[in-house]
Amino acid sequence: IKLQRFETYWVNVGKWGYNQGYKGINVVQNNQVLTVNLTHTYRDNFTLDLGWKTSDSIDNALTGQWTRLKSYLQFSQAQWAYPPNEASGNPGGYIYLTGNPPYTTPPAEVDVNKGSVVLTTPTMNLIEYEDPKLDLELWFVHYKKDTVRDSLRIQVSNDDGVKWVTMYKLATNDSAIGRGGWQHIELKLRDYIGVNNRMKVRIKTSDVLGTATMIVGIDNFYLQKNRTTELPIEIKSDKVNLSAFYSKEKNSIQVFVNSKNLNQDYRIEIYNV
């Protein structure tokens, strides 16, 4: 790519397991180096392709495979079926959606039909996450009411995807759901499975009979560390006072100890969970 000198360009930088960086650069010379510092976190708004797996050995649907694409209204008067914008409301931003229909294609022709499709994250190391909470925005369409065999499942694995546990399910025998619109989902992983360094999350979408319109999208995937202990804390006894304060800026905890008996030594041990 050739860039014009003395022009300012904006660059998105990202890697799985790190917060994405967005930085401007003014081009003044050849081979100019741009440094962007990234903080460790699992957050993905899909602006960049960070390695999600859009197919699986269990995929067997005839149409509707997962695709990373820019949100747009693929068919006139189909706002109930397709997200015209990102979950944040921005037009033209990237999301993951089942199917990649061309313009003027009716939703029922390219949705998930007669089988399942799976979207899976890369592996995550969550050992340092005390109580990880999954946040994401979900788009779910199922019309008309069909069968409980048609469903959407958000599942988690702690063995690199050998076994899966369902955290969230929408079974589509309820005609009150399944007509589009972004909805916010929050799930605490430890409510369903042990946490380690071999974690994956996947979204499995199924339309078994192929007689309903099934379209699913996701946006703004984020895993919060979600500490269970509220700070500051204070512990008092007849021998010692202990106070702890969490610094968000430094991502560290400061502990202050005040002995009431200066003539004695005390040993204090602090552990994480």
Side-chain angles (χ1 to χ4, degrees):
I1 300 175
K2 294 183 178 180
L3 304 179
Q4 297 293 323
R5 285 191 177 186
F6 307 111
E7 293 288 340
T8 299
Y9 299 87
W10 289 93
V11 180
N12 268 313
V13 180
K15 181 180 179 181
W16 180 247
Y18 293 86
N19 213 354
Q20 294 182 28
Y22 187 61
K23 191 171 184 179
I25 179 173
N26 185 262
V27 179
V28 296
Q29 63 184 19
N30 292 332
N31 301 318
Q32 187 169 335
V33 176
L34 173 65
T35 301
V36 180
N37 295 319
L38 305 178
T39 57
H40 175 66
T41 189
Y42 291 98
R43 184 194 294 267
D44 196 353
N45 63 4
F46 310 131
T47 299
L48 302 173
D49 184 354
L50 300 184
W52 288 57
K53 186 179 178 183
T54 56
S55 62
D56 192 274
S57 59
I58 67 171
D59 285 4
N60 58 358
L62 300 180
T63 56
Q65 283 69 33
W66 283 97
T67 306
R68 175 180 163 269
L69 49 74
K70 289 186 176 181
S71 56
Y72 65 97
L73 190 59
Q74 290 101 326
F75 189 72
S76 179
Q77 305 302 315
Q79 293 92 335
W80 63 271
Y82 296 128
N85 302 310
E86 286 184 301
S88 60
N90 296 327
Y94 280 93
I95 61 174
Y96 271 105
L97 188 70
T98 54
N100 187 9
Y103 286 102
T104 71
T105 302
E109 292 186 13
V110 288
D111 67 321
V112 180
N113 273 309
K114 292 188 177 181
S116 301
V117 292
V118 175
L119 176 69
T120 309
T121 69
T123 301
M124 297 175 287
N125 181 356
L126 303 182
I127 288 179
E128 296 182 357
Y129 282 53
E130 184 173 314
D131 188 23
K133 182 180 74 172
L134 171 61
D135 283 54
L136 62 80
E137 307 295 335
L138 177 69
W139 182 278
F140 178 71
V141 166
H142 181 274
Y143 182 79
K144 295 179 178 178
K145 182 175 71 172
D146 191 2
T147 168
V148 293
R149 290 179 293 180
D150 295 348
S151 64
L152 172 136
R153 290 177 172 86
I154 300 176
Q155 299 178 315
V156 62
S157 170
N158 62 6
D159 55 8
D160 279 326
V162 177
K163 297 179 181 178
W164 294 92
V165 175
T166 297
M167 299 186 292
Y168 182 82
K169 178 181 178 180
L170 285 174
T172 49
N173 61 337
D174 186 350
S175 59
I177 62 175
R179 292 300 296 271
W182 288 107
Q183 54 180 306
H184 184 71
I185 304 296
E186 295 183 0
L187 300 166
K188 286 191 175 184
L189 270 59
R190 288 191 186 275
D191 290 346
Y192 306 94
I193 202 169
V195 174
N196 59 22
N197 61 348
R198 303 171 64 197
M199 308 296 298
K200 287 184 177 181
V201 171
R202 76 177 184 183
I203 295 90
K204 180 182 178 183
T205 307
S206 303
D207 182 3
V208 177
L209 300 179
T211 55
T213 300
M214 174 74 86
I215 299 170
V216 176
I218 67 166
D219 197 8
N220 298 332
F221 179 95
Y222 178 39
L223 264 173
Q224 297 186 40
K225 288 191 174 181
N226 215 41
R227 292 173 176 82
T228 58
T229 302
E230 296 294 332
L231 295 176
I233 61 173
E234 186 172 3
I235 300 173
K236 294 183 178 181
S237 73
D238 59 346
K239 295 182 178 180
V240 65
N241 290 344
L242 182 148
S243 300
F245 299 90
Y246 171 65
S247 170
K248 185 176 182 180
E249 292 76 16
K250 297 180 179 180
N251 192 29
S252 64
I253 297 175
Q254 291 181 301
V255 178
F256 300 90
V257 178
N258 179 23
S259 173
K260 292 183 178 181
N261 189 342
L262 298 180
N263 296 322
Q264 296 185 24
D265 293 331
Y266 297 100
R267 176 179 176 177
I268 299 174
E269 297 182 3
I270 302 175
Y271 302 89
N272 63 24
V273 294

